[in-house]
Amino acid sequence: MSTHLPTSHPEDTNPYQPPKTALAEPRADVIFETFRSIGYSLSMAVADIVDNSISADAKRIDIWFHWDGPNSWISVSDNGRGMNDAEIINAMRPGSHNPLDVRSTKDLGRFGLGLKTASFSQCRRLTLISRKLDTNPAYWCWSLDHIAKTNRWELIQELSKTDLLNTCRHLPGGTVVLWEDLDRLVKGTDVNNSQHRDQFLREAQIVKQHLAMVFHRFLEAQDNKIIITINDRPIAPWDPYLHGQPGRQAPVDEKLAGGRVEIKGYVLPHISKINKVIHQTGAGPAGWNAQQGFYIYRNKRLLVAGSWLNLGFKKEEHYKLARIQLDITNELDAEWQIDIKKSTARPPASLRLDLDRLARTVRVRAEEVYRHQGKVIQRSLVHTFVPVWQEKIRNNKRFYAINRDHPSVKQVLGSTEPKHLTALLRLLEETIPVPLIVLSESANPDTQPTPFDTAEGQTDLLESMRLVYGGLRQTMSPAESRRSLHMTEPFCYYPHLIEQL
């Protein structure tokens, strides 16, 4: 029997020697003051607290703006799962969970900072009171004044509004978030000054409008509906898309990124088709012109309310009826660069061409409705987007085929020997270098050009466009032929060339 001795390596004689280290803990007072400067508005801050309640499966959320001059306070209570003592301490910890962790599809958080950054943007004293089912309430408090004196990362077990314990006890389970010392909202006010009081209540009204917009899909849901109140008055949802109103066009409906991004492009009714009240409410908090563009939702929670996402479009009067609903899941947070305030989202480079195309499609439709004062006949809007390539499945494998219904392809098939051309198209389809394309795109996502983006290319494109336009004119009016081109790839990327026809 032979014995095999372990092979020795030179490095075995030199075990790892850790380098000299020094602990560089951040100063608690500085970090908490930094939290105050992230840039929340009051509305954004309250919405961030509501996010936590929804993530905790709350079905009712009550917000109170209590006026008491410089001693005014705001509370948000919910009937969600609640927390025990240890869970409250963890929730109060800055960075309570890793943004890279896999989370529930219903989770509206990300960084584990929202409760703290949102709260300290408005107050200097944050108290969390909570209880789980069949347990007693527990509470802990962050006080910036205490931190300034001690410079220690320590919570204090102190509660100034003891009546809120009873609020928590009467919930089957739930949480109360209390904001006190609202220095940025009521510092220097007089409790007996009616103007100061009215301004405080106006802030509550602004928050109400914001929550009605941000959480409208939760408020209007048929199943698992959520009720949100401010000072005991329920908030009604604001519907950006005017569902059920006469004159609204059928939406452009597409899925991108393997179905992880869902888009519905709406063209709202002209003012002549709806009553004055609907028109006023449909304008939204910022007004008709400002509310046009993309509405980005993450798990049904609105992040961006009306933006053209830096695609090169301006907000103009004749596009104000265009609103595009875009849904993503929280697994796309990093790709879309979701920020701490959940008020910014930036589409990845790989989707910008498709988003540009969809935006142009909806803008063209919206301009038609606007210019014709809602009198555009239905047949002018039945065009659907016509791509050059179609994704198909064969034997559970994905492949790409040239669209035989594309106007350019149909035209050539009708004027050439179909058998020979069909064979050529099939050859092109079967030899697409998909692996090479995927590799190049993943390595250099920002280098993909727009089709025909050179001067020479646009000259060729215009000639092709004229040929297709001539074919369409045999069965359509000039206006309908142009509308068809606006919905056809790659002509849709060049509306200025279409207008030259």
Side-chain angles (χ1 to χ4, degrees):
M1 183 176 70
S2 62
T3 301
H4 295 280
L5 296 176
T7 303
S8 63
H9 297 281
E11 60 268 24
D12 291 344
T13 60
N14 297 301
Y16 172 71
Q17 297 293 325
K20 183 179 179 180
T21 62
L23 189 62
E25 290 182 332
R27 285 180 50 181
D29 56 343
V30 173
I31 292 298
F32 277 100
E33 289 299 331
T34 301
F35 284 166
R36 310 201 76 199
S37 305
I38 288 178
Y40 283 89
S41 66
L42 176 60
S43 296
M44 289 179 189
V46 174
D48 215 325
I49 305 304
V50 172
D51 284 339
N52 294 336
S53 296
I54 294 175
S55 295
D57 294 327
K59 299 305 175 189
R60 183 181 176 98
I61 302 163
D62 295 301
I63 304 164
W64 284 95
F65 281 71
H66 183 89
W67 170 249
D68 191 18
N71 298 314
S72 298
W73 50 273
I74 296 172
S75 69
V76 181
S77 62
D78 68 56
N79 63 352
R81 291 188 302 270
M83 293 173 280
N84 59 29
D85 192 78
E87 289 170 328
I88 292 175
I89 293 173
N90 185 61
M92 294 287 261
R93 177 181 292 114
S96 55
H97 61 253
N98 190 326
L100 300 178
D101 289 345
V102 177
R103 289 162 289 143
S104 163
T105 56
K106 297 188 296 182
D107 190 353
L108 299 181
R110 183 187 179 195
F111 295 95
L113 286 171
L115 169 67
K116 285 70 68 173
T117 53
S119 298
F120 292 128
S121 73
Q122 307 300 319
C123 71
R124 295 188 60 81
R125 186 180 176 92
L126 162 66
T127 306
L128 198 57
I129 313 164
S130 193
R131 71 182 289 265
K132 285 179 165 296
L133 183 65
D134 298 328
T135 65
N136 290 320
Y139 56 86
W140 286 96
C141 171
W142 276 122
S143 168
L144 297 192
D145 291 340
H146 176 79
I147 292 169
K149 293 173 183 176
T150 64
N151 194 25
R152 292 173 62 88
W153 296 84
E154 58 184 19
L155 297 162
I156 58 176
Q157 199 166 41
E158 188 174 273
L159 180 61
S160 62
K161 303 286 186 275
T162 55
D163 55 321
L164 291 179
L165 279 175
N166 291 328
T167 298
C168 207
R169 285 193 183 99
H170 287 105
L171 297 170
T175 299
V176 180
V177 176
L178 173 63
W179 291 350
E180 298 173 280
D181 196 356
L182 303 166
D183 60 328
R184 294 182 172 176
L185 190 60
V186 296
K187 186 177 181 178
T189 59
D190 180 353
V191 66
N192 297 313
N193 187 311
S194 61
Q195 290 183 333
H196 293 171
R197 182 200 63 212
D198 291 347
Q199 178 58 39
F200 182 74
L201 296 178
R202 274 195 293 272
E203 293 290 344
Q205 182 63 25
I206 293 171
V207 170
K208 178 182 178 181
Q209 292 178 333
H210 185 75
L211 299 183
M213 175 177 68
V214 169
F215 298 105
H216 75 92
R217 292 169 71 178
F218 295 92
L219 296 169
E220 66 197 13
Q222 298 300 313
D223 298 324
N224 297 317
K225 183 176 181 178
I226 291 174
I227 297 171
I228 304 176
T229 71
I230 290 187
N231 290 1
D232 213 25
R233 296 181 180 179
I235 297 176
W238 176 67
D239 175 14
Y241 314 112
L242 301 186
H243 287 89
Q245 293 301 316
R248 196 192 72 169
Q249 308 298 330
V252 176
D253 196 342
E254 282 200 33
K255 293 184 179 182
L256 304 173
R260 296 185 300 165
V261 177
E262 299 184 13
I263 300 177
K264 292 182 183 293
Y266 295 95
V267 176
L268 305 189
H270 189 270
I271 186 174
S272 63
K273 299 293 184 180
I274 54 179
N275 63 45
K276 185 176 181 181
V277 173
I278 296 298
H279 185 260
Q280 288 176 339
T281 57
W288 278 102
N289 276 9
Q291 299 280 183
Q292 66 184 264
F294 284 92
Y295 285 64
I296 301 179
Y297 297 81
R298 171 176 165 270
N299 296 354
K300 297 184 180 180
R301 194 266 203 205
L302 185 60
L303 304 176
V304 175
S307 169
W308 290 117
L309 305 180
N310 292 321
L311 293 174
F313 305 125
K314 294 181 180 179
K315 290 188 174 182
E316 300 178 68
E317 171 73 13
H318 45 288
Y319 298 123
K320 68 181 183 181
L321 301 179
R323 292 178 182 172
I324 305 173
Q325 175 182 316
L326 190 155
D327 280 282
I328 64 174
T329 61
N330 59 13
E331 65 181 352
L332 297 178
D333 281 358
E335 290 182 42
W336 284 75
Q337 302 178 55
I338 307 301
D339 68 345
I340 291 177
K341 296 177 294 182
K342 287 170 277 190
S343 61
T344 301
R346 297 180 179 87
S350 59
L351 293 181
R352 293 185 69 84
L353 199 59
D354 280 318
L355 296 180
D356 180 280
R357 167 179 58 78
L358 285 161
R360 292 181 189 277
T361 298
V362 178
R363 282 165 63 92
V364 166
R365 292 185 173 192
E367 184 178 21
E368 286 180 330
V369 173
Y370 176 85
R371 294 194 184 282
H372 292 82
Q373 299 185 8
K375 297 179 182 178
V376 179
I377 56 177
Q378 186 61 32
R379 72 171 185 274
S380 68
L381 294 174
V382 298
H383 301 295
T384 57
F385 178 67
V386 184
V388 175
W389 294 93
Q390 294 177 313
E391 183 181 86
K392 295 188 176 184
I393 302 295
R394 181 176 62 208
N395 297 328
N396 293 323
K397 294 182 179 180
R398 184 180 293 105
F399 70 100
Y400 298 89
I402 294 174
N403 184 8
R404 269 56 169 183
D405 291 324
H406 190 282
S408 294
V409 178
K410 287 178 69 174
Q411 196 169 56
V412 175
L413 283 171
S415 60
T416 312
E417 179 62 46
K419 183 172 64 174
H420 296 161
L421 184 58
T422 300
L424 175 60
L425 296 181
R426 181 65 185 276
L427 176 65
L428 294 173
E429 293 166 350
E430 294 293 335
T431 57
I432 302 173
V434 173
L436 179 59
I437 294 172
V438 171
L439 183 63
S440 299
E441 179 63 20
S442 61
N444 302 286
D446 298 321
T447 60
Q448 183 181 10
T450 302
F452 297 95
D453 63 352
T454 64
E456 181 181 351
Q458 289 187 31
T459 299
D460 295 338
L461 177 66
L462 184 58
E463 181 59 31
S464 177
M465 193 183 291
R466 287 197 177 104
L467 292 173
V468 173
Y469 179 73
L472 294 173
R473 283 286 289 109
Q474 296 179 21
T475 57
M476 297 181 184
S477 69
E480 286 181 310
S481 298
R482 285 194 296 272
R483 278 191 285 272
S484 181
L485 290 178
H486 277 295
M487 296 293 290
T488 303
E489 189 179 33
F491 309 135
C492 59
Y493 303 123
Y494 298 94
H496 64 287
L497 294 182
I498 296 175
E499 298 308 315
Q500 293 181 27
L501 298 176

